[in-house]
Amino acid sequence: MKKKIILICLLGIAATIFIYYTTINNKVKLLTLGDGLASGMTAYNVSGYSYSDYLKDYYKKQNHLQYYNNSFAEANKNTYQLLTELKANKPININGKKVTLQQAIKEANVIILAIGLDELANKSLDAKITVKELNSYYSRVEEILTFIKKINHEKIIIIGLYPAYNLTEVSKINNQLKELANKMKCNFLDISSVVNKEEYYFNDTSYYINYKGHKKISEELIKLI
């Protein structure tokens, strides 16, 4: 009888451990990388609620969130800067703990990249963006993705661009980004048609979308995750 009870207890412990690790491994570990779109930048030069914050809330409510990090997303960050940070393994402090960029990438199982909106929109104010400049941008995005995939083979989602300032050829740019995503075996989300409503913007002076626009993007991201 004692042996039977011990066996039942051991089986129960094993089952509990199995369920625990299975549940942990299935939880979302979310990392957001990129520029002002990724950080939820507003028309008032402060970061607000971004699509990743809405994702965090959604998965937390489902008890399906293990990890969330948007500390590497920053307004006006461009592809040059992100590449430099990747290669230098940029460290930051989160709640008193040092976390490097490569460590954050390694720990995540969902990585969302939105890079290029600030970079190309700001460039469009000075002059028309040339084919050479766009090709250089695509090359840097590919290099970023290649670097990430050397560290992490989990789900990577690339968010496309939408019209901002004099950046109007977004359809062509998004097509190239989509091709690149397919080549790199990543997911691509074209948001140019998702956030094309006036209600998703703060005012006419800023191309940044408001919380409604970010919430809409989060709903589309959930479908991909």
Side-chain angles (χ1 to χ4, degrees):
M1 179 62 78
K2 276 188 177 182
K3 289 183 179 180
K4 188 175 182 181
I5 293 172
I6 291 171
L7 180 61
I8 292 171
C9 289
L10 289 174
L11 288 172
I13 292 169
T16 301
I17 293 172
F18 175 78
I19 292 170
Y20 172 78
Y21 281 105
T22 302
T23 303
I24 285 292
N25 290 333
N26 287 333
K27 285 191 173 184
V28 172
K29 291 166 276 189
L30 176 64
L31 173 66
T32 300
L33 301 175
D35 54 20
L37 176 61
S39 68
M41 196 63 182
T42 69
Y44 312 107
N45 292 320
V46 293
S47 292
Y49 232 61
S50 71
Y51 52 77
S52 60
D53 289 309
Y54 282 108
L55 286 176
K56 173 196 69 177
D57 290 347
Y58 173 81
Y59 288 111
K60 194 172 182 180
K61 188 176 180 180
Q62 304 288 324
N63 194 28
H64 202 56
L65 180 74
Q66 182 180 343
Y67 174 85
Y68 171 68
N69 187 342
N70 72 336
S71 298
F72 291 99
E74 187 179 1
N76 294 314
K77 182 174 289 185
N78 57 43
T79 47
Y80 295 102
Q81 292 168 319
L82 182 53
L83 263 176
T84 301
E85 290 176 3
L86 283 166
K87 293 173 181 178
N89 197 17
K90 178 183 176 180
I92 58 172
N93 283 309
I94 301 177
N95 298 323
K97 180 183 177 182
K98 179 182 173 182
V99 178
T100 67
L101 179 50
Q102 291 181 26
Q103 178 188 348
I105 290 170
K106 188 176 182 179
E107 290 177 356
N109 61 13
V110 177
I111 300 171
I112 303 174
L113 173 67
I115 192 78
L117 184 66
D118 289 343
E119 178 178 348
L120 298 179
N122 290 331
K123 191 181 288 288
S124 75
L125 288 174
D126 299 325
K128 183 177 174 61
I129 301 173
T130 65
V131 172
K132 183 179 179 180
E133 287 172 327
L134 283 176
N135 285 337
S136 295
Y137 163 72
Y138 302 138
S139 294
R140 290 191 295 274
V141 173
E142 183 171 2
E143 191 175 352
I144 288 167
L145 292 173
T146 300
F147 198 104
I148 291 172
K149 288 186 76 69
K150 284 181 180 178
I151 304 171
N152 190 316
H153 294 286
E154 300 284 351
K155 185 180 287 291
I156 300 171
I157 302 172
I158 305 167
I159 294 183
L161 311 185
Y162 58 83
Y165 290 152
N166 298 323
L167 180 64
T168 56
E169 297 182 354
V170 292
S171 179
K172 183 187 295 185
I173 295 170
N174 283 340
N175 284 338
Q176 289 293 323
L177 289 175
K178 185 176 182 179
E179 285 185 18
L180 180 57
N182 289 335
K183 175 184 174 182
M184 302 296 294
K185 296 181 180 178
C186 301
N187 293 96
F188 178 76
L189 178 61
D190 188 341
I191 62 170
S192 59
S193 60
V194 176
V195 295
N196 62 355
K197 295 181 181 179
E198 188 176 335
E199 65 179 293
Y200 292 151
Y201 294 84
F202 290 96
N203 51 53
D204 295 336
T205 63
S206 174
Y207 59 79
Y208 285 125
I209 55 176
N210 58 28
Y211 72 95
K212 292 181 182 178
H214 280 284
K215 193 170 191 305
K216 183 65 178 175
I217 292 174
S218 74
E219 292 169 359
E220 297 300 316
L221 285 168
I222 288 169
K223 297 175 186 177
L224 292 176
I225 297 172

